[in-house]
Amino acid sequence: MPVFAFEMRTKKEEMNLEQTLVITEKPSVAQNIAKVLGAYKRHDGYLSGNGWVVSWCVGHLVELAEPEDYDSNYKKWRKEDLPILPSKWKYNVSTATKKQFTVLKKLMLRDDVTATINACDSGREGELIYRLVYHQCGCKKPFSRLWISSMEDAAIREGFQNLRPGSEYDRLFEAALCRECADWIVGINATRLFSVLYGRTLHVGRVLSPTLAMAVVREAEIAAFVQESFYTVEITLPGMKATGKRLKEKETALQLTDECADSTATVTKYERKEKSEKPPALYDLTTLQRDANRQLGYTAQQTLDYAQGLYEKKIITYPRTDSRYLTDDMEELVPGLVSVAARIAGFYDDEDEDEFYEEDDNISRLIDSSKVSDHHAIIPTMSAGEKELSALPTGEREILQLIAVRLAEAVAGSCRYEEVTAEFECCGSSFTAKGKTILEEGWKAIEKVAEESRSKRQSSKRKANSKSRPDHLDKSMEDDVSLPEMNVGDRFPVKSADVKEGKTKPKPHYTEDTLLSAMERAGAEEIPDDAERKGIGTPATRAGIIERLVTRGFLSRTGNGKTKYLIPTEKGTALITVLPEQLQSPSMTADWEEKLLAIERGEYSSEEFMDGIAAMVIDLVETYEPAKDSAVILPAGRESLGKCPACGSDVVEYPKSYSCTNRQCKFALWKEN
């Protein structure tokens, strides 16, 4: 492997030099790394120079083979062929990326390439992507691991100076391989089993099904909700109003109103408490997606795409993270990063930089290496301060604004306020008045400025939407309401008494924001504290899961404006109705995550893990009985998705396509295309 150096070599020197092949996941990442390494010469599918060859994978080049690749009989979906449990796994090169795979294979097997470096994303999936290509190419050359969280030049240089032997990540790869194969076994067998039994394509997955189940259960709760009226009596006292407890009967409330009118209220309790609200933590991908959905109306997938674009432009750090903290060695960098974030957010320009200020104690709150897994929280890079941000697409610019504001908030002081509670007795009933006074705005001053700035950028339609608030904003802090001084035993005349009618409300429909939150929390109490991540799915895959549920017709997006609700379709509800509990519960993911973590540590064998998956699927196939009244829940025949544009017949869904039911018509839309 060449020494890490940046001096340029002559063409003659380069021809006689041993080459090291660096493989990334995406072309844009390869270009950034190649620039740092001095590999400027462009070729078809790679760059070279200075003793380095830099190429890329374009995501998953190598994928698990389809069932029919093991046995041609599996082309037809039949219950008698289940379960399908490969004794030896086969892999295929993705048709769409076969050209790039051929490039990588030639590079890996070139005589002058003596070693390779895995520069794919740092985590299970990045390890899996590289290793599958490495093995599919039949490469035997030594390889090292690059592990970085930023595409800045300095971070890349530091990463190459601290390369790790590839063998140190063998267990990480083993866990990733187990996860992939187990998902294949469950997905293929369960999807075929339920599709055959119920006569329509029903996609089942370890993460897909529990996510859909949460949405179906929520809608069932809403449908079963019975709205009830309730009544409260509000009395007006000098300088304040006090509210009584909820009453079920209007007559009772009216009677109390009559009694309280023109009477007096006696103070039974008076309490002042100073409280504080700490700034929110930095963004991980899920909290960024949630805020972007609530405030900007972006889907989780849109937010991920915009963040990925910013990362590849070296403007933010790696977005696919589940951490909300920075590592210990980053503490000295934070003041500079905060200055960059403040400029991005528009809090000051170069002439009034001193107006923005952060304290060392506040910075230390952001630092905790023990809470950082693969990557630290999402923050702007130092390079962001040198970019022409006005040239960014609107989506990327708005996501960058969120990230910059969050960093500025995170290093600001706590919001301090005084909360006052007064309780009164009037005509034998208890009434309560609450007040609060902001003592020091702290981070909320930044939030207020950011909200005002955002409202100016958004359309009047967006400004009118009441749900565009950050998830960490305490609504009780919106208004500064003070109460007069008083003592226990003081008496106040009641100026007026009124009845207020209210109605109980069901739980709200899921939005992308709240469903992401539910996915993040699902089964978390069952997952070990030191697991790679909590909940179902990963920060990087949750957006894709939601999109698949929508595109496959299990969920629909409904609603006007930027607030869209995710509502289960009839097909989605029917699927959850017939699925056994084990396939719609997040418990299976919790169990898997615990065992995969043990595999990474060498405390659990991959063979034992895969044997358990096989046993579960065998039991499912052998013991599952179709649900009663299945003909009503899932009527036989395929649901028409619309009319064929070629002949006018019905178009229905098949396992691999959406095709016309007219056998003489050739119209089809293939899912893989």
Side-chain angles (χ1 to χ4, degrees):
M1 183 181 301
V3 175
F4 190 75
F6 297 93
E7 72 274 9
M8 297 303 295
R9 297 179 172 87
T10 65
K11 186 174 182 181
K12 183 176 180 181
E13 288 175 327
E14 190 173 317
M15 290 175 62
N16 298 322
L17 189 69
E18 291 182 345
Q19 307 287 309
T20 296
L21 173 62
V22 181
I23 299 177
T24 69
E25 274 190 41
K26 300 176 182 67
S28 56
V29 176
Q31 291 167 7
N32 288 333
I33 289 178
K35 180 182 176 182
V36 173
L37 298 177
Y40 295 110
K41 188 175 181 181
R42 293 181 176 274
H43 307 268
D44 187 9
Y46 68 99
L47 300 102
S48 69
N50 210 25
W52 302 92
V53 178
V54 184
S55 190
W56 52 86
C57 287
V58 198
H60 285 270
L61 291 179
V62 180
E63 300 171 339
L64 283 168
E66 294 295 325
E68 51 265 34
D69 293 322
Y70 295 93
D71 189 328
S72 59
N73 291 326
Y74 292 156
K75 287 184 179 180
K76 293 184 177 181
W77 292 24
R78 296 176 297 205
K79 185 176 185 298
E80 53 266 30
D81 290 332
L82 303 178
I84 301 172
L85 300 169
S87 57
K88 185 176 181 180
W89 291 96
K90 294 182 179 181
Y91 286 86
N92 290 330
V93 177
S94 172
T95 304
T97 54
K98 190 172 184 178
K99 179 181 177 182
Q100 186 59 24
F101 174 81
T102 302
V103 170
L104 281 175
K105 185 173 183 179
K106 288 180 179 178
L107 293 175
M108 281 188 166
L109 301 181
R110 255 172 50 174
D111 291 339
D112 61 336
V113 172
T114 58
T116 70
I117 295 174
N118 176 8
C120 292
D121 290 351
S122 304
R124 276 186 197 158
E125 289 309 300
E127 197 66 30
L128 182 67
I129 288 171
Y130 169 83
R131 297 285 189 115
L132 291 181
V133 171
Y134 181 87
H135 293 303
Q136 191 77 4
C137 291
C139 187
K140 304 294 183 183
K141 296 172 182 176
F143 65 92
S144 302
R145 188 58 160 105
L146 175 72
W147 198 280
I148 56 177
S149 294
S150 168
M151 291 307 300
E152 290 183 285
D153 292 358
I156 293 172
R157 290 191 183 97
E158 184 180 356
F160 272 90
Q161 289 165 354
N162 293 279
L163 293 171
R164 306 299 302 169
S167 58
E168 288 189 8
Y169 299 88
D170 286 348
R171 289 173 179 166
L172 182 67
F173 167 60
E174 192 174 353
L177 201 59
C178 284
R179 196 277 312 153
E180 180 183 55
C181 293
D183 273 337
W184 188 97
I185 289 175
V186 172
I188 291 293
N189 286 285
T191 295
R192 291 193 173 208
L193 174 65
F194 293 106
S195 297
V196 168
L197 290 178
Y198 295 106
R200 58 167 60 190
T201 304
L202 297 173
H203 297 280
V204 181
R206 174 178 60 94
V207 179
L208 200 77
S209 300
T211 303
L212 176 60
M214 288 190 292
V216 170
V217 169
R218 172 61 60 88
E219 289 307 305
E221 292 173 343
I222 294 172
F225 178 79
V226 178
Q227 191 175 68
E228 296 180 353
S229 296
F230 62 88
Y231 306 89
T232 56
V233 175
E234 182 180 85
I235 57 175
T236 301
L237 306 173
M240 58 188 158
K241 290 185 177 182
T243 304
K245 297 179 180 179
R246 286 187 178 185
L247 301 171
K248 290 185 177 181
E249 301 297 332
K250 186 175 184 178
E251 291 74 12
T252 305
L254 289 171
Q255 182 180 348
L256 179 59
T257 301
D258 292 339
E259 293 173 355
C260 290
D262 299 323
S263 65
T264 57
T266 303
V267 179
T268 58
K269 179 180 178 181
Y270 184 72
E271 187 176 65
R272 285 184 176 272
K273 285 186 178 179
E274 185 174 319
K275 296 184 177 182
S276 66
E277 186 178 351
K278 291 181 179 180
L282 297 170
Y283 278 131
D284 61 5
L285 178 57
T286 300
T287 52
L288 175 61
Q289 288 170 319
R290 292 185 60 199
D291 271 7
N293 177 250
R294 183 186 309 101
Q295 298 177 40
L296 305 171
Y298 293 148
T299 67
Q301 188 61 53
Q302 286 175 319
T303 299
L304 177 56
D305 292 342
Y306 294 144
Q308 182 66 29
L310 291 168
Y311 170 66
E312 293 174 11
K313 293 181 176 76
K314 306 183 182 182
I315 294 174
I316 66 169
T317 57
Y318 187 70
R320 291 173 168 83
T321 177
D322 58 357
S323 174
R324 304 186 70 179
Y325 291 86
L326 305 177
T327 54
D328 297 344
D329 59 345
M330 298 179 68
E331 187 163 3
E332 294 182 359
L333 303 175
V334 174
L337 292 169
V338 171
S339 294
V340 171
R343 284 196 191 93
I344 293 171
F347 295 146
Y348 64 73
D349 55 30
D350 292 336
E351 294 181 358
D352 55 7
E353 180 171 340
D354 292 339
E355 291 184 15
F356 193 86
Y357 170 74
E358 76 281 342
E359 299 176 7
D360 291 342
D361 289 344
N362 298 340
I363 291 177
S364 65
R365 289 197 305 257
L366 281 58
I367 309 298
D368 191 340
S369 289
S370 67
K371 294 182 179 179
V372 177
S373 53
D374 293 340
H375 298 278
H376 58 67
I378 306 171
I379 55 174
T381 63
M382 290 300 296
S383 301
E386 304 167 3
K387 303 288 185 179
E388 184 56 53
L389 303 181
S390 61
L392 291 174
T394 300
E396 290 185 6
R397 193 164 59 248
E398 289 188 320
I399 294 301
L400 177 59
Q401 286 278 344
L402 287 181
I403 295 168
V405 169
R406 177 53 63 92
L407 176 56
E409 290 175 341
V411 297
S414 296
C415 174
R416 293 176 49 248
Y417 61 97
E418 184 181 59
E419 188 174 82
V420 182
T421 302
E423 294 183 3
F424 305 86
E425 188 275 327
C426 182
C427 300
S429 294
S430 177
F431 294 83
T432 303
K434 290 189 176 182
K436 55 183 176 293
T437 303
I438 303 296
L439 303 176
E440 186 177 347
E441 284 190 301
W443 67 273
K444 283 187 177 289
I446 297 174
E447 179 188 68
K448 184 186 298 182
V449 172
E451 283 191 309
E452 291 172 353
S453 176
R454 183 168 58 250
S455 69
K456 291 178 183 178
R457 297 193 305 267
Q458 294 175 333
S459 67
S460 58
K461 182 178 180 181
R462 286 189 169 186
K463 285 194 290 183
N465 192 304
S466 61
K467 292 187 177 294
S468 60
R469 302 196 63 79
D471 62 342
H472 54 266
L473 181 60
D474 182 352
K475 291 185 178 180
S476 66
M477 297 298 299
E478 292 179 25
D479 300 311
D480 194 355
V481 180
S482 60
L483 295 182
E485 289 287 340
M486 64 188 80
N487 298 298
V488 173
D490 287 351
R491 298 169 66 85
F492 291 89
V494 177
K495 293 183 175 181
S496 63
D498 300 288
V499 174
K500 304 291 184 181
E501 181 178 358
K503 294 183 181 296
T504 56
K505 295 180 180 180
K507 292 180 178 179
H509 301 290
Y510 274 124
T511 62
E512 206 124 347
D513 159 31
T514 54
L515 185 56
L516 282 168
S517 176
M519 293 174 74
E520 190 175 37
R521 297 192 313 269
E525 67 279 357
E526 302 174 52
I527 298 176
D529 292 337
D530 50 357
E532 186 177 80
R533 54 186 58 88
K534 308 286 186 182
I536 55 176
T538 69
T541 62
R542 287 173 188 140
I545 291 296
I546 293 174
E547 289 301 319
R548 282 198 287 278
L549 287 170
V550 172
T551 56
R552 290 175 176 176
F554 294 120
L555 289 177
S556 65
R557 285 192 177 98
T558 62
N560 298 319
K562 70 182 180 184
T563 301
K564 296 289 192 300
Y565 298 104
L566 294 169
I567 309 298
T569 61
E570 183 179 343
K571 177 181 176 181
T573 302
L575 174 58
I576 296 304
T577 302
V578 302
L579 277 187
E581 175 64 24
Q582 68 186 119
L583 292 181
Q584 56 176 287
S585 168
S587 297
M588 182 165 66
T589 287
D591 179 60
W592 283 25
E593 189 59 43
E594 184 172 9
K595 290 174 179 175
L596 291 173
L597 180 66
I599 290 172
E600 289 182 21
R601 292 173 169 171
E603 300 168 355
Y604 193 73
S605 73
S606 55
E607 291 80 7
E608 190 174 355
F609 176 80
M610 294 307 298
D611 286 346
I613 301 299
M616 180 195 72
V617 170
I618 291 171
D619 180 68
L620 176 67
V621 171
E622 292 180 350
T623 63
Y624 180 79
E625 295 291 337
K628 294 180 180 180
D629 301 321
S630 60
V632 176
I633 300 171
L634 287 165
R638 299 183 185 274
E639 177 185 4
S640 174
L641 302 176
K643 298 300 180 181
C644 174
C647 72
S649 300
D650 287 335
V651 174
V652 298
E653 182 182 10
Y654 291 93
K656 293 187 177 181
S657 69
Y658 302 99
S659 302
C660 182
T661 52
N662 180 1
R663 292 182 177 274
Q664 305 303 317
C665 181
K666 302 299 183 183
F667 175 80
L669 295 174
W670 298 95
K671 295 180 180 179
E672 292 184 356
N673 189 341

